[in-house]
Amino acid sequence: MAAVMRFWKLCVVFLWCAMSLPAFSRAQEEDFMRIWPENPVVPFGGFIVLNFSANCENIAVETSLSKVPAGDGPSWKAFNFTSVTHWEPQILCHADCEKGKAKFQTVVITVYRAPKRVELDPLPTMEVGEEYNVTCRVFNVAPIRNLTVTLCKGNEELHKKTFEDHNNPEASDVVVTHSITAQQDNHREEITCHAALDMRPEGPLFEKASPDKSYSQSRAVYPPEQVIVELQKSSTGQSWHYDLKCHVIRVAPLSNLTVTFFKGTERLISRKLWNYTKAERANVTVIHPIVLQPGDYGKEATCHVTLDVSPHKEPFTATSHKLELKAAETYRAVTVAASAVATLAFVLVGFVIYYLVWAHGGSK
């Protein structure tokens, strides 16, 4: 510790000499007092050495900060202000000058804290043409008036926010929000947030960006333009075996799509398209094998689709037209039944006619 203090004394003496020599080269016509550095900056919890010089006597310093003498001379004193944990602390220096006059000067220390963390709020799945908010949060930073927050999409600067009018010197959190409109080519664009605390020229420049895990990918959402259901004979060729097909036209993203088949009010099956990774609009056909029964004749089949992008937006839903179930086997069954009924009717009519003729002939 003693070695450190001797080092600081040597530094302060050198700085004081460099600052004071020009003053000694000219006549001392008036009293003066100087504090160096003139605009001191220090990190919160750090320390700083200040030099106080004057052509007066009895230089004294008043402050609420803890201080340790760091050197002195005939017309100067230096102090090491340790563990600065006040925001914008003031230091008053005064000295006794000729004719009973006192000289006073005050310096304000700017205390800073580099951004502790920079994060982006997760972006929702986006629908093309819709407006969304991008929110960046900078945590525990000071002074905010020296802060600049920039939102970027890839290499493109979306928004830059400065805080020159912010007067509170204490560290706090900052929230910056900017609205964007989702475009068709935004899929997998990286949205990033950059925070810069600029303490130059007296202090350093701190820069921090949102981490990779905060990068949010916007995805275009296209509700289906059309939903069509059809019934086709199964390729197995078995009787009463058919395929219900649901055609969903120009929809994205497919991975958020669920297709549900109904027969009347009976739900047959629901399928979520987990394995579809296409981000752009596409057509998709979902097939459900079905075994019809004669009793299904006249029932209606429908296809219901849900594009679920919750919780950020209400799901999109659409339903196909109603398709009346008419199987070829049903037609054949109806034809056979009709033929049987017609044959039976013909036999009955013949029997009636025969009976009438026979009965009439026998009565004669």
Side-chain angles (χ1 to χ4, degrees), residues 224-240:
E225 292 186 358
Q226 193 175 7
V227 181
I228 303 170
V229 65
E230 66 171 332
L231 182 69
Q232 286 189 352
K233 184 66 181 175
S234 172
S235 58
T236 63
Q238 294 177 277
S239 295
W240 300 98

Side-chain angles (χ1 to χ4, degrees), residues 41-44 110-118 138-143 146-150 193-200 202-209:
V41 297
V42 62
F44 187 84
T110 299
V111 181
Y112 64 84
R113 177 175 279 166
K116 186 175 182 180
R117 196 167 79 253
V118 180
V138 184
F139 295 90
N140 203 16
V141 60
N146 291 68
L147 182 68
T148 299
V149 178
T150 306
C193 180
H194 302 263
L197 184 69
D198 193 353
M199 303 306 301
R200 297 175 297 184
E202 293 83 8
L205 168 67
F206 298 95
E207 294 183 292
K208 196 173 186 66

Side-chain angles (χ1 to χ4, degrees), residues 79-324:
F79 294 93
N80 180 9
F81 297 90
T82 60
S83 187
V84 180
T85 56
H86 296 74
W87 298 103
E88 284 195 348
Q90 294 187 5
I91 300 174
L92 173 65
C93 178
H94 59 85
D96 299 328
C97 299
E98 294 181 357
K99 300 179 182 180
K101 294 182 179 179
K103 192 75 173 178
F104 297 89
Q105 186 165 337
T106 301
V107 65
V108 178
I109 299 178
T110 299
V111 181
Y112 64 84
R113 177 175 279 166
K116 186 175 182 180
R117 196 167 79 253
V118 180
E119 291 184 1
L120 272 173
D121 286 1
L123 285 177
T125 300
M126 291 185 172
E127 181 184 355
V128 170
E130 292 294 324
E131 192 174 85
Y132 298 86
N133 285 335
V134 178
T135 299
C136 176
R137 302 179 188 274
V138 184
F139 295 90
N140 203 16
V141 60
I144 294 175
R145 62 176 178 269
N146 291 68
L147 182 68
T148 299
V149 178
T150 306
L151 289 165
C152 297
K153 182 180 71 175
N155 295 323
E156 175 191 354
E157 183 180 299
L158 295 175
H159 180 66
K160 179 179 284 187
K161 175 74 172 177
T162 57
F163 305 86
E164 294 92 343
D165 298 330
H166 196 281
N167 295 320
N168 187 355
E170 298 184 8
S172 60
D173 300 339
V174 173
V175 179
V176 176
T177 299
H178 176 66
S179 62
I180 62 172
T181 301
Q183 304 296 328
Q184 187 167 352
D185 59 351
N186 283 160
H187 182 62
R188 298 196 180 278
E189 284 276 13
E190 287 186 344
I191 306 295
T192 56
C193 180
H194 302 263
L197 184 69
D198 193 353
M199 303 306 301
R200 297 175 297 184
E202 293 83 8
L205 168 67
F206 298 95
E207 294 183 292
K208 196 173 186 66
S210 54
D212 291 346
K213 66 179 181 180
S214 293
Y215 288 178
S216 301
Q217 298 175 345
S218 59
R219 301 188 65 187
V221 176
Y222 300 92
E225 292 186 358
Q226 193 175 7
V227 181
I228 303 170
V229 65
E230 66 171 332
L231 182 69
Q232 286 189 352
K233 184 66 181 175
S234 172
S235 58
T236 63
Q238 294 177 277
S239 295
W240 300 98
H241 284 247
Y242 286 81
D243 288 331
L244 270 177
K245 293 186 175 182
C246 184
H247 305 284
V248 187
I249 309 301
R250 291 177 60 78
V251 61
L254 296 181
S255 59
N256 292 67
L257 192 69
T258 301
V259 176
T260 305
F261 291 92
F262 287 89
K263 182 174 67 175
T265 58
E266 176 190 358
R267 190 176 76 167
L268 300 176
I269 192 173
S270 289
R271 285 190 57 191
K272 185 170 178 58
L273 309 187
W274 297 102
N275 297 326
Y276 287 76
T277 58
K278 284 187 176 181
E280 64 275 10
R281 283 180 176 176
N283 302 333
V284 63
T285 297
V286 179
I287 301 174
H288 173 58
I290 185 172
V291 179
L292 296 178
Q293 304 295 331
D296 292 329
Y297 181 80
K299 289 185 178 179
E300 294 175 332
T302 54
C303 172
H304 182 83
V305 300
T306 302
L307 186 64
D308 190 357
V309 292
S310 60
H312 306 287
K313 200 172 184 67
E314 289 295 321
F316 298 95
T317 60
T319 303
S320 69
H321 64 284
K322 294 179 180 180
L323 175 69
E324 189 175 358

Side-chain angles (χ1 to χ4, degrees), residues 25 43 49 188 311:
S25 64
V49 176
R188 298 196 180 278

Side-chain angles (χ1 to χ4, degrees), residues 71-77:
D72 61 72
S75 59
W76 65 276
K77 285 186 178 181

